[in-house]
Amino acid sequence: MNKKNIILLLLLITIIGVSVSALVLSNNFNSIIGNRERVNILLLGADARTPEHNGFTDSITIFSIDKKTNELSLLSIPRDTMVEIPGRGVAKINSAYAYGDIDTTKTTVENFLNVKIDYYVIVDFTSFKETVDAMGGINMYVDPHISAVRPKLNGKTGMSRLTGDEALILLRFRQDSESEGGRMRRHREAINAIFGEILNPSNILQAPTILNQLMQNVKTDIPPLETTIFENLITGFDINNAEIGVITGEYTKINGENSMIPDMNKTEETVVKLGLRK
């Protein structure tokens, strides 16, 4: 695998720290996935607190890949979505990991959407910040109204070069009329920003630093990579053409906290449209 593809692999995994996407497959891919047309990867960004506490998964995305066409689907699940969590009852979906483990989270998502999750990737927000800084920052658009209420963005507006800390502040912001929808849109914009850095030849030199960060911060059950499969997928990978869906519903207050009751009819339509059960 050449150096550019190594960088691409590393950054695709890392970006899940803010709910962006990873793309990795194994040499026993077909034996694990069986006859299904797609592979579904659960991407989780965890706000890790202590070694004894998993943290909440404030970024939850299903990254679905068509095995034959390389077509992509992304389904974002707002962290405030109220669902049934095994052993806990009805609660926000982002608490499944905090009060259980990755198996609890996978089962919760599978039961909620009636889909099969093949793999998972978890990374904490610290890893994302360090990786962005290792690349010398990323270019993203900063809305003036966000900069005005987030002093740590240092007055940056419009297209700006952001540090890891600044990028994370921007990507976690949702205190405006767009709310969670705006936050998830900025996550997708971050993917394109990361890709821009991936293609910058000067960043190839940072591969050892990025790899070291990932080894310390990423958790995944994806088997060892097979070079030819990965490189074939890279050839067809185009996030701009991905089919994108978002779970929607009615926001309300439950026990004083913002919560979303999902619209299950629309949820079913979205799952079918994205082909997550194929």
Side-chain angles (χ1 to χ4, degrees):
M1 187 182 297
N2 62 41
K3 288 185 177 180
K4 186 175 79 172
N5 280 352
I6 291 174
I7 288 287
L8 181 53
L9 168 62
L10 299 179
L11 296 180
L12 282 172
I13 294 175
T14 302
I15 195 61
I16 183 53
V18 288
S19 187
V20 228
S21 306
L23 181 62
V24 282
L25 293 176
S26 68
N27 55 356
N28 56 347
F29 175 82
N30 286 315
S31 64
I32 294 176
I33 307 303
N35 295 323
R36 286 172 37 230
E37 297 178 16
R38 305 186 73 92
V39 53
N40 296 327
I41 303 173
L42 182 62
L43 310 173
L44 302 170
D47 185 10
R49 306 297 175 87
T50 68
E52 294 77 27
H53 191 281
N54 286 334
F56 292 87
T57 52
D58 283 348
S59 174
I60 308 170
T61 303
I62 295 178
F63 190 98
S64 184
I65 313 157
D66 187 294
K67 294 190 292 183
K68 293 182 179 180
T69 67
N70 293 334
E71 292 178 344
L72 309 177
S73 294
L74 298 176
L75 177 62
S76 296
I77 306 176
R79 63 182 183 177
D80 294 333
T81 304
M82 299 297 290
V83 297
E84 181 75 29
I85 299 176
R88 180 166 171 79
V90 176
K92 292 184 180 183
I93 196 168
N94 71 338
S95 69
Y97 188 58
Y99 294 101
D101 52 24
I102 184 55
D103 290 331
T104 305
T105 306
K106 286 179 62 177
T107 299
T108 297
V109 173
E110 288 180 330
N111 291 346
F112 171 49
L113 300 175
N114 189 25
V115 301
K116 172 65 176 175
I117 298 299
D118 301 298
Y119 302 120
Y120 69 83
V121 177
I122 309 172
V123 68
D124 66 38
F125 293 134
T126 299
S127 176
F128 167 77
K129 293 192 295 184
E130 292 174 349
T131 302
V132 170
D133 287 336
M135 293 185 297
I138 58 175
N139 294 318
M140 289 194 66
Y141 183 84
V142 182
D143 288 293
H145 75 276
I146 296 178
S147 182
V149 297
R150 290 293 183 268
K152 290 185 178 181
L153 287 173
N154 300 306
K156 295 180 180 178
T157 60
M159 287 302 301
S160 304
R161 191 74 173 176
L162 304 181
T163 66
D165 279 324
E166 291 168 344
L168 190 56
I169 289 170
L170 178 64
L171 296 176
R172 298 184 74 175
F173 181 85
R174 63 170 186 168
Q175 286 74 36
D176 61 9
S177 60
E178 287 189 286
S179 189
E180 190 72 10
R183 190 173 74 103
M184 289 185 286
R185 173 179 54 77
R186 285 185 287 274
H187 290 175
R188 296 191 293 270
E189 291 171 355
I191 296 176
N192 289 330
I194 289 288
F195 283 173
E197 298 305 319
I198 292 168
L199 299 177
N200 184 342
S202 65
N203 284 323
I204 293 176
L205 299 176
Q206 305 302 325
T209 300
I210 297 171
L211 177 59
N212 181 61
Q213 292 165 3
L214 289 174
M215 290 176 65
Q216 297 181 45
N217 294 300
V218 170
K219 299 178 183 179
T220 182
D221 63 348
I222 296 173
L225 295 173
E226 199 284 321
T227 300
T228 56
I229 291 179
F230 178 68
E231 290 182 344
N232 286 338
L233 286 170
I234 291 302
T235 301
F237 186 77
D238 185 357
I239 193 68
N240 291 313
N241 292 329
E243 188 79 22
I244 295 171
V246 179
I247 299 301
T248 60
E250 181 181 353
Y251 279 86
T252 186
K253 291 281 188 179
I254 298 179
N255 296 326
E257 296 185 349
N258 288 325
S259 305
M260 188 191 78
I261 309 301
D263 184 321
M264 294 310 297
N265 290 329
K266 290 184 178 179
T267 295
E268 176 66 14
E269 292 175 1
T270 300
V271 169
V272 172
K273 178 182 178 182
L274 298 181
L276 302 187
R277 300 193 186 114
K278 292 182 179 179

